[in-house]
Amino acid sequence: MADIPDEEFILKTTSACAGCSASLILRYVTKAAGKDTVLVVPACCTSVIQGKYPNTAMNIPVYNVAFASAAAVASGMSEAFRAVGKKTNVIAFAGDGGTVDIGIQALSGALERGTDFLYICYDNEAYSNTGMQRSGATPLGAKTTTTPLGKRDYKKDLDAIVQAHNPVYMATACSAYPVDLFNKVKKALSIPGPKFMHILAPCPPGWRYPSEKTIDVGKLAVQSGMWVLYEREEGKLSITGASKAAMKKRVPISEYLALQGRFKTATKEDIAVLEEHVEMNLKKLEREVQGIC
């Protein structure tokens, strides 16, 4: 933590819920990016966190845009900055609803065009800002306001979709591991071209756990293998941080799920399927690291 700057770009006046990990993510993303940065934010929890005009908790420029348009707007903004010789960091900061579902066409287009920007999806696995409805990122078995008995579909593999576009850099992170997150943002912004980060953002009211447990829940997500920390540079995969240990020995998924009320309706069969999918994913990633197709 000693290498992380003291300067704050997210002030103490946010409108975030207690224990909000999205605001933690914002804090470390902006510390890594620095003063010469513009955030492009579609409709999402961040629109609430920043506060109402004319007051704001943001100490850098923020451009609020329509739900589906974050990557398209950021693409045009980046081109405009580069055209006048500015190296300003353009960061699209969107939730899973605005990325996995509503904004995926704009993201795909920006990546295909080779936009010089960083797109960050902070993933709280539902449409949290509008009442915790299920999204394409909601995991199997999770209870939401639109899946009261637990979601019956699998979480969409956003990272595989992004990987198919061959960005120059992509990575995952989690709010519970700020140094790993900070370092990946710094690295991403040092590389010209399209970059993508997918960051797990546990949500106390939506996931139904006590607000003081946000870091514990995030760590268990990684330690159980439900969320894997990695980065891809020029297509080469590296497992990072706490996920290195989880690849060898992980805690049972049941420990992660037990802290969250959203999985109260999950059946034994649901949990067994989640365990199976985690094992399959870890083995797939391990084969890729070893260069085995």
Side-chain angles (χ1 to χ4, degrees):
M1 297 291 284
D3 294 331
I4 296 178
D6 292 331
E7 188 172 5
E8 299 288 352
F9 298 98
I10 306 301
L11 307 178
K12 295 180 180 180
T13 53
T14 75
S15 302
C17 300
C20 174
S21 65
S23 57
L24 286 176
I25 292 167
L26 265 173
R27 184 184 184 206
Y28 291 104
V29 166
T30 53
K31 279 177 174 285
K35 195 175 298 184
D36 190 15
T37 298
V38 175
L39 290 179
V40 179
V41 178
C44 60
C45 289
T46 304
S47 302
V48 176
I49 290 171
Q50 71 189 57
K52 293 194 298 183
Y53 180 86
N55 301 310
T56 181
M58 306 295 201
N59 202 19
I60 53 175
V62 179
Y63 199 62
N64 294 109
V65 300
F67 219 155
S69 66
V73 172
S75 186
M77 188 178 287
S78 173
E79 288 297 316
F81 279 129
R82 305 303 176 257
V84 294
K86 291 187 176 181
K87 297 181 179 180
T88 301
N89 296 314
V90 177
I91 301 177
F93 193 82
D96 51 285
T99 304
V100 178
D101 300 329
I102 296 173
I104 198 165
Q105 53 80 25
L107 173 59
S108 176
L111 294 174
E112 184 267 332
R113 289 189 298 272
T115 298
D116 182 18
F117 78 145
L118 171 59
Y119 190 105
I120 294 176
C121 172
Y122 67 97
D123 190 351
N124 49 33
E125 299 185 326
Y127 287 85
S128 301
N129 191 32
T130 53
M132 209 62 194
Q133 300 90 352
R134 61 90 86 191
S135 79
T138 304
L140 176 77
K143 181 178 179 180
T144 69
T145 53
T146 50
T147 57
L149 299 179
K151 188 185 175 192
R152 306 320 317 153
D153 311 294
Y154 297 113
K155 178 168 180 166
K156 189 185 296 184
D157 193 348
L158 173 64
D159 295 338
I161 295 169
V162 172
Q163 184 187 355
H165 293 76
N166 297 311
V168 294
Y169 178 86
M170 62 181 291
T172 59
C174 176
S175 57
Y177 296 95
V179 175
D180 180 74
L181 189 162
F182 175 87
N183 289 336
K184 286 173 177 173
V185 174
K186 288 285 284 187
K187 181 182 286 188
L189 293 173
S190 72
I191 305 170
K195 288 83 60 175
F196 174 83
M197 286 186 64
H198 193 183
I199 306 176
L200 185 67
C203 173
W207 293 17
R208 298 181 174 90
Y209 66 81
S211 58
E212 69 272 15
K213 294 292 185 181
T214 287
I215 300 302
D216 294 333
V217 170
K219 286 186 175 180
L220 279 173
V222 173
Q223 292 165 0
S224 66
M226 281 287 283
W227 191 263
V228 183
L229 303 177
Y230 65 78
E231 58 184 354
R232 280 193 174 90
E233 295 182 77
E234 298 181 356
K236 184 178 180 181
L237 175 70
S238 301
I239 306 300
T240 64
S243 285
K244 291 180 180 179
M247 295 287 284
K248 297 175 182 176
K249 184 179 181 181
R250 60 183 183 84
V251 304
I253 283 177
S254 56
E255 290 187 27
Y256 170 62
L257 304 183
L259 282 180
Q260 306 168 59
R262 65 175 178 157
F263 285 105
K264 290 283 180 160
T265 57
T267 65
K268 290 182 179 178
E269 290 75 17
D270 290 337
I271 296 172
V273 170
L274 288 172
E275 284 276 7
E276 182 181 353
H277 273 253
V278 165
E279 282 294 328
M280 288 174 59
N281 186 50
L282 292 177
K283 288 177 181 176
K284 176 185 173 183
L285 292 173
E286 182 63 30
R287 289 196 299 271
E288 186 179 344
V289 168
Q290 295 175 357
I292 303 171
C293 296

